[in-house]
Amino acid sequence: MKRIISIALTSIFIINFLIVKGQEGELGEFYQLKQKEQEVIIEILNLDVEKLKSQKKLEEITAEIEKLNVVIEEKEKEIDRVSKDIEKEKIILNSWFRFLYMSGTNAILSLLLMAKDATDLLHRLIYIDVVTNYYYDKLENLYNLVKHKKEEEKQLAQERELLLQKQEEEKSVIIKLEELKRSKDEVLKEIKAKIENYQRILEIVENTSSSLSSLDFLLSSIPKLPWEKLQPHDVKLSFFSAEATFYDKDVTNLFRSYDEKLRQVEVYFINGGFEIKEENKYDAKGKFEIEDNKIRFVFDSIKVQGIMIEGNLLQKMVEGYDTTLSFNVPLEGWKLNHISSEDGYLKILLKK
């Protein structure tokens, strides 16, 4: 019979608990969430891989830009050196022209007339032509060299511009990947929060049977405990009344000595009531009432696996259990008049 009551208790608790939690979604959604979690994790990993690739590419582009900057700087130095050489050659050529022409045709004629013979004259003419052409050719080559190097510099600058554009594009890609990853992280965070909630439900459901079985044994044992073995303290007697005090530690020992299953039970008398608990299983609170000249535990709330049970569900849970203490008034003709509890002790008042 007790087993049937325990099973019924478990079923009532689980059904009512899942009805409350059902407002957040069906429990079957848990497995869909687990699958979605894996999908989002894979997406995040892919984004991380893409980001690493983009960062590597960005580093390569940056390194190429730095190399180009060095080459362009070297080209600028070369152009500057060649430009200086051109200026030097211009000065030399100007000096040569001044030698040939500043004194008019007399200078050239004098140079030619100084020839010893026709052969020497020819040699002098060839010499003037060779020297003149040499400087002209040299200047032309230098100008061509400058032109070539400026074209190379321009081409390198264009390559650098393209690389700078690619650099900005990769930076933009990384920013987008980071934004997308942040959004996926938020999705994953929400999924994990829901999964944790469902896992808590599953853990509660898994542990509920054991907890309610222990609670069932406790409720079934209350009327069977040898309450007559409790020794009163601070007994006060008068002709019309009697008062006795009972300590919660004595009641705890009574529970624990009754059965191995109650070894972890703790009983506390508190102001206006009691608390009976077993760590990690249940925590029951209530008050004492006098009924048919007997003391009865009346439960106001029971917490099972962190879930507070009150009201109608609590009434269904304790329905069918006798929570009356099998404690008879030792004085014939006397009746229980009042019962009060404070932290650590309980006072019972008897009257004729």
Side-chain angles (χ1 to χ4, degrees):
M1 180 66 181
K2 286 192 299 179
R3 181 174 177 79
I4 294 173
I5 294 174
S6 178
I7 293 172
L9 258 176
T10 305
S11 301
I12 291 170
F13 176 78
I14 293 174
I15 290 170
N16 279 271
F17 178 70
L18 291 181
I19 286 172
V20 174
K21 288 295 179 182
Q23 295 173 358
E24 299 174 7
E26 295 295 332
L27 189 59
E29 187 184 351
F30 171 76
Y31 301 102
Q32 295 177 0
L33 286 170
K34 289 293 288 183
Q35 185 178 0
K36 182 65 177 176
E37 179 189 36
Q38 294 301 313
E39 292 174 0
V40 174
I41 288 172
I42 290 172
E43 288 177 4
I44 290 173
L45 288 175
N46 286 332
L47 289 172
D48 283 332
V49 170
E50 291 299 320
K51 181 182 175 183
L52 287 172
K53 287 181 180 178
S54 293
Q55 286 176 333
K56 186 177 179 181
K57 194 171 181 181
L58 181 63
E59 289 172 2
E60 291 173 355
I61 291 172
T62 303
E64 286 184 37
I65 291 172
E66 290 175 356
K67 289 179 182 178
L68 275 177
N69 286 335
V70 173
V71 175
I72 290 171
E73 186 178 353
E74 188 60 35
K75 289 292 177 185
E76 290 174 350
K77 290 179 180 178
E78 289 178 9
I79 291 171
D80 185 58
R81 285 198 297 270
V82 175
S83 297
K84 288 179 180 178
D85 290 341
I86 289 173
E87 293 301 321
K88 290 179 182 177
E89 293 300 325
K90 280 181 179 180
I91 292 171
I92 294 171
L93 187 58
N94 288 335
S95 299
W96 176 246
F97 283 160
R98 279 197 299 272
F99 170 73
L100 291 177
Y101 301 113
M102 280 184 67
S103 300
T105 55
N106 292 332
I108 299 174
L109 288 172
S110 298
L111 184 63
L112 295 174
L113 291 173
M114 288 173 65
K116 296 177 182 179
D117 50 33
T119 303
D120 187 26
L121 176 64
L122 181 61
H123 286 163
R124 288 175 183 267
L125 286 171
I126 292 171
Y127 170 73
I128 292 169
D129 183 63
V130 167
V131 171
T132 304
N133 287 332
Y134 166 76
Y135 283 110
Y136 274 122
D137 289 341
K138 192 170 185 180
L139 276 174
E140 186 178 1
N141 289 333
L142 287 173
Y143 279 122
N144 288 334
L145 183 61
V146 169
K147 182 181 178 182
H148 176 69
K149 289 189 178 297
K150 284 187 175 180
E151 287 176 353
E152 287 183 345
E153 182 186 28
K154 183 179 179 182
Q155 186 177 355
L156 290 171
Q158 289 174 347
E159 290 179 16
R160 180 176 61 182
E161 191 63 30
L162 289 174
L163 287 172
L164 287 171
Q165 289 177 6
K166 289 182 179 179
Q167 186 184 49
E168 291 303 315
E169 288 172 2
E170 290 302 323
K171 287 180 180 179
S172 178
V173 169
I174 291 172
I175 291 171
K176 288 179 181 177
L177 287 172
E178 288 175 345
E179 290 175 353
L180 188 56
K181 185 176 181 295
R182 279 196 293 270
S183 67
K184 292 294 181 182
D185 285 337
E186 288 299 319
V187 172
L188 184 61
K189 185 178 178 182
E190 292 176 6
I191 291 173
K192 285 185 177 294
K194 289 181 180 179
I195 287 176
E196 287 175 3
N197 187 39
Y198 280 115
Q199 284 177 331
R200 181 170 175 268
I201 293 172
L202 294 175
E203 288 171 3
I204 290 171
V205 171
E206 184 179 347
N207 297 326
T208 294
S209 180
S210 172
S211 298
L212 291 180
S213 177
S214 298
L215 180 62
D216 167 64
F217 188 80
L218 171 79
L219 296 174
S220 301
S221 300
I222 288 175
K224 301 175 184 178
L225 292 172
W227 294 101
E228 67 279 357
K229 291 184 178 181
L230 277 179
Q231 296 298 317
H233 299 269
D234 304 325
V235 178
K236 298 177 182 178
L237 290 172
S238 68
F239 187 76
F240 294 104
S241 65
E243 185 181 77
T245 301
F246 296 88
Y247 293 102
D248 53 12
K249 60 181 180 180
D250 296 329
V251 178
T252 296
N253 292 332
L254 182 68
F255 272 89
R256 292 182 173 183
S257 61
Y258 176 71
D259 193 280
E260 187 69 27
K261 294 179 181 178
L262 300 175
R263 284 287 184 186
Q264 303 301 318
V265 169
E266 296 180 52
V267 180
Y268 300 98
F269 293 147
I270 57 179
N271 186 19
F274 64 86
E275 180 178 5
I276 305 174
K277 64 189 296 185
E278 187 172 347
E279 196 67 32
N280 297 323
K281 290 193 174 181
Y282 58 81
D283 186 351
K285 294 181 180 180
K287 55 184 176 295
F288 297 102
E289 286 187 358
I290 297 172
E291 187 177 289
D292 296 331
N293 207 32
K294 289 186 177 182
I295 300 173
R296 187 167 71 90
F297 285 100
V298 178
F299 292 92
D300 295 327
S301 66
I302 300 176
K303 186 183 289 185
V304 178
Q305 294 299 317
I307 303 301
M308 184 65 71
I309 304 167
E310 299 172 308
N312 293 333
L313 180 57
L314 176 63
Q315 296 306 314
K316 289 179 182 179
M317 288 186 68
V318 299
E319 187 178 355
Y321 290 96
D322 182 10
T323 57
T324 304
L325 280 63
S326 59
F327 175 77
N328 295 317
V329 176
L331 301 175
E332 189 176 350
W334 291 62
K335 289 187 177 183
L336 285 168
N337 180 262
H338 183 69
I339 183 169
S340 63
S341 60
E342 298 292 339
D343 290 341
Y345 64 89
L346 176 75
K347 287 186 178 294
I348 295 176
L349 178 64
L350 300 175
K351 285 195 175 182
K352 285 186 178 182

